[in-house]
């Protein structure tokens, strides 16, 4: 197979034109099931003696194109698409850790991930240890003989803490553990975590990958580099009757991790992605490089505009020249630090609320990575279930506004932000209404 560059893979990866009608676009295989050729064929598929499609809860040809394209874009060996970013996180981490096991995670996390770890996993008997991702000795000290994975987001949601992936993967590998990375904020266009030693990448494809705010989905990608037979993961080497008396390592030498995620938890918990959504994500991938380039350009301009605005107290965007993470951003994110960032309006919490109530072109919704520009107040929404202390740990504070900069004409965005900032001044809304 020829090796193509990123933009070409985004358009062609994973697709072979079908021999029958030679559809140029990837067809939507909107089917639950696939006809068996014979009773023996059905038995061979069920006993995993032959590869093939059985039922769309575990695999579907449209989703397979999406999976293979994502694996290629990330530089991995295989991928598994599921129904949401949350299910990608759950399936990936529960494939590694079971009752009694532990996970070490950096603090700077999406609120839903924090709740999954602190509440749900806890109820399932899995302890998640939260550490400051910038304090590497704290992180290493949290590892013990029950630890099964190190977890981080590439850019913490919403505080934008940049994960030092090379150092995190070095520590993980020293202890025989995989580094699992949520790269939702960055996509493979901005960073390919496997190049920095990560082992598993997950995305909420709901965001930039779908790109148009239409569909919920997630994906798990395997680098193919982790040695699952290192003694820490017996579930990958034990022989199972369900696998026709083989282990996951024997069944799928390319990616035992993805095989286990798909045929164990994915199949049994039922977190399948709809083929139509898989198809929409393929459409998203085809324009991903162009959208990401523009997202980043618009975000940089909006961040600079906000920094210079008299109603803005602070802006947290790593590629602003005086940002404390500027050097780290240049190293890990040379094409840009995404288009989602936070800022504080002068006047604190009340001014932040007035700003949100005053935007007209910007949409007040809970999503990110849409083609349209979105704003939200994290402390009262995405991170509302967290205590003030937990909010501070995850990088959230009361006057903070999160913006996901879209693809509109940037001058129109500036005009709307400017009028909303003016309206955020104390008394401004009342006098407008009067
Ligand atoms: C970084 C990150 N990971 C995971 C998720 C969960 O994704 P989904 O909403 O697709 O379940 C989100 C959602 O906002 C997110 O921001």
């Amino acid at each position: 197979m020829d090796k193509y560059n990123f933009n070409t893979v985004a358009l062609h990866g994973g697709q072979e034109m079908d021999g029958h009608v030679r559809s140029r676009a990837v067809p939507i295989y909107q089917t639950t099931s696939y006809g068996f050729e014979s009773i023996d064929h059905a038995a061979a598929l069920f006993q995993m003696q032959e590869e093939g499609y059985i039922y769309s809860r575990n695999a579907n040809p449209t989703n397979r194109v999406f999976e293979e394209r994502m694996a290629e874009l990330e530089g991995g060996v295989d991928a598994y698409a599921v129904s949401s970013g949350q299910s990608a996180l759950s399936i990936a981490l529960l494939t590694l850790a079971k009752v009694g096991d532990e996970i070490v995670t950096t603090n700077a996390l999406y609120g839903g991930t924090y709740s999954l770890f602190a509440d749900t996993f806890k109820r399932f008997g899995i302890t998640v240890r939260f550490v400051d991702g910038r304090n590497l000795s704290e992180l290493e000290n949290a590892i013990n003989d029950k630890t099964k994975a190190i977890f981080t987001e590439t850019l913490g949601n919403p505080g934008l803490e940049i994960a030092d992936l090379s150092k995190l993967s070095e520590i993980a590998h020293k202890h025989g553990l995989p580094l699992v990375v949520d790269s939702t904020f960055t996509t493979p266009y901005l960073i390919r975590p496997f190049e920095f030693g990560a082992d598993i990448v997950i995305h909420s494809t709901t965001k930039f990958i779908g790109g148009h705010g239409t569909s919920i989905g997630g994906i798990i990608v395997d680098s193919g580099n982790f040695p699952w037979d290192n003694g820490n993961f017996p579930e990958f080497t034990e022989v199972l009757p369900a696998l026709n008396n083989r282990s996951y390592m024997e069944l799928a030498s390319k990616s035992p991790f993805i095989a286990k995620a798909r045929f164990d938890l994915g199949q049994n918990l039922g977190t399948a992605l709809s083929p139509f959504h898989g198809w929409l994500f393929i459409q998203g991938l085809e324009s991903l490089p162009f959208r990401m380039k523009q997202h980043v350009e618009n975000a940089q301009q909006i961040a600079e505009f906000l920094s210079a605005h008299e109603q803005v107290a602070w802006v947290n965007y790593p590629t602003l020249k005086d940002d404390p993470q500027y050097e780290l951003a240049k190293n890990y994110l040379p094409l840009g630090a995404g288009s989602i960032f936070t800022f504080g309006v002068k006047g604190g919490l009340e001014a932040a609320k007035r700003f949100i109530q005053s935007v007209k072109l910007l949409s007040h919704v809970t999503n990110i990575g849409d083609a349209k520009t979105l704003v939200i107040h994290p402390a009262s929404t995405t991170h509302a279930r967290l205590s003030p202390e937990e909010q501070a740990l995850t990088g959230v504070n009361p006057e903070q506004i999160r913006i996901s900069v879209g693809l509109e004409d940037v001058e129109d965005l500036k005009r709307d932000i400017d009028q909303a900032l003016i309206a955020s001044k104390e008394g401004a809304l009342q006098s407008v209404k009067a």
Side-chain angles (χ1 to χ4, degrees):
M1 262 294 251
D2 286 331
K3 273 264 172 228
Y4 292 113
N5 290 321
F6 192 94
N7 292 13
T8 309
V9 176
L11 289 162
H12 293 273
Q15 186 190 8
E16 264 173 47
M17 260 195 255
D18 70 281
H20 183 48
V21 291
R22 296 186 59 74
S23 164
R24 181 53 281 192
V26 175
I28 309 176
Y29 285 90
Q30 193 67 44
T31 183
T32 53
S33 38
Y34 308 84
F36 302 123
E37 287 158 21
S38 64
I39 190 90
D40 291 341
H41 179 226
L45 288 175
F46 269 81
Q47 286 164 27
M48 293 195 165
Q49 288 162 338
E50 244 180 73
E51 273 189 30
Y53 293 101
I54 299 178
Y55 191 53
S56 285
R57 175 144 47 78
N58 52 45
N60 169 279
T62 306
N63 291 350
R64 209 52 208 129
V65 174
F66 175 48
E67 290 164 349
E68 287 183 10
R69 196 169 293 186
M70 276 301 295
E72 208 174 332
L73 288 172
E74 285 288 5
V77 293
D78 201 3
Y80 175 37
V82 289
S83 58
S84 68
Q86 285 299 108
S87 50
L89 285 162
S90 307
I91 301 286
L93 290 163
L94 294 177
T95 296
L96 298 171
K98 59 182 183 316
V99 59
D101 291 337
E102 299 192 2
I103 294 165
V104 174
T105 181
T106 55
N107 285 326
L109 295 178
Y110 162 58
T113 307
Y114 188 92
S115 301
L116 174 72
F117 289 175
D119 304 335
T120 313
F121 280 8
K122 189 174 169 196
R123 259 186 287 127
F124 279 43
I126 297 168
T127 302
V128 181
R129 296 189 184 274
F130 295 84
V131 296
D132 179 347
R134 289 161 301 197
N135 185 337
L136 297 175
S137 54
E138 185 189 338
L139 187 130
E140 189 161 14
N141 288 339
I143 298 171
N144 60 38
D145 58 6
K146 294 184 192 139
T147 311
K148 293 293 177 186
I150 311 285
F151 180 82
T152 190
E153 292 179 3
T154 47
L155 274 173
N157 175 4
L160 290 198
E161 184 180 305
I162 300 173
D164 198 337
L165 294 180
S166 301
K167 294 200 176 128
L168 294 180
S169 60
E170 202 181 305
I171 294 173
H173 297 162
K174 186 172 143 197
H175 293 271
L177 302 171
L179 177 66
V180 183
V181 175
D182 181 338
S183 188
T184 299
F185 267 43
T186 34
T187 81
Y189 178 77
L190 294 177
I191 188 170
R192 294 167 20 121
F194 298 152
E195 291 171 4
F196 299 96
D199 301 286
I200 306 293
V201 163
I202 78 109
H203 293 275
S204 163
T205 55
T206 312
K207 319 297 184 191
F208 290 114
I209 287 171
H212 299 84
T214 59
S215 336
I216 304 281
I219 198 156
I220 308 166
V221 191
D222 180 10
S223 70
N225 295 329
F226 192 80
W228 299 107
D229 55 357
N230 71 356
N232 288 339
F233 298 92
E235 298 89 346
F236 288 92
T237 49
E238 72 195 355
V239 167
L240 299 170
L243 305 182
N244 199 24
N245 291 323
R246 283 166 300 172
S247 66
Y248 276 106
M249 289 208 59
E250 288 163 336
L251 176 76
S253 55
K254 190 170 74 167
S255 179
F257 181 82
I258 293 296
K260 182 159 163 49
R262 185 188 297 278
F263 294 116
D264 181 355
L265 285 177
Q267 175 160 299
N268 292 340
L269 294 180
T271 52
L273 179 70
S274 133
F276 180 57
H277 285 183
W279 182 82
L280 287 168
F281 295 136
I282 291 169
Q283 310 312 302
L285 284 183
E286 297 196 354
S287 62
L288 181 76
F290 306 96
R291 286 186 291 106
M292 288 312 289
K293 190 165 182 288
Q294 194 61 46
H295 272 296
V296 168
E297 266 177 48
N298 280 7
Q300 182 72 27
Q301 285 204 48
I302 295 298
E304 286 171 12
F305 171 76
L306 286 167
S307 306
H309 202 287
E310 58 169 16
Q311 279 311 111
V312 173
W314 52 267
V315 180
N316 175 20
Y317 189 56
T319 51
L320 288 175
K321 285 249 156 42
D322 53 358
D323 192 276
Q325 297 197 101
Y326 186 73
E327 289 306 319
L328 207 53
K330 273 209 309 202
N331 182 26
Y332 282 110
L333 300 161
L335 296 182
S339 82
I340 304 152
F341 63 92
T342 55
F343 61 96
V345 177
K346 279 188 189 157
L349 173 63
E350 292 309 314
K353 288 187 191 161
R354 286 192 290 269
F355 173 84
I356 296 256
Q357 280 173 49
S358 305
V359 292
K360 293 184 181 130
L361 177 61
L362 275 56
S363 311
H364 178 205
V365 301
T366 180
N367 194 21
I368 48 168
D370 193 325
K372 303 178 179 92
T373 298
L374 318 174
V375 281
I376 199 162
H377 179 239
S380 61
T381 56
T382 52
H383 290 67
R385 286 170 66 182
L386 279 59
S387 68
E389 294 74 33
E390 288 173 321
Q391 288 190 356
L393 267 183
T394 55
V396 172
N397 58 55
E399 82 270 16
Q400 182 186 60
I401 289 168
R402 184 185 73 191
I403 184 165
S404 173
V405 180
L407 303 175
E408 296 93 342
D409 187 291
V410 80
E411 294 307 320
D412 293 333
L413 293 176
K414 285 182 193 169
R415 262 207 314 281
D416 192 40
I417 292 170
D418 185 49
Q419 67 77 25
L421 283 170
I422 292 167
S424 75
K425 285 188 199 171
E426 201 170 3
L429 272 188
Q430 288 82 338
S431 61
V432 169
K433 279 178 189 147

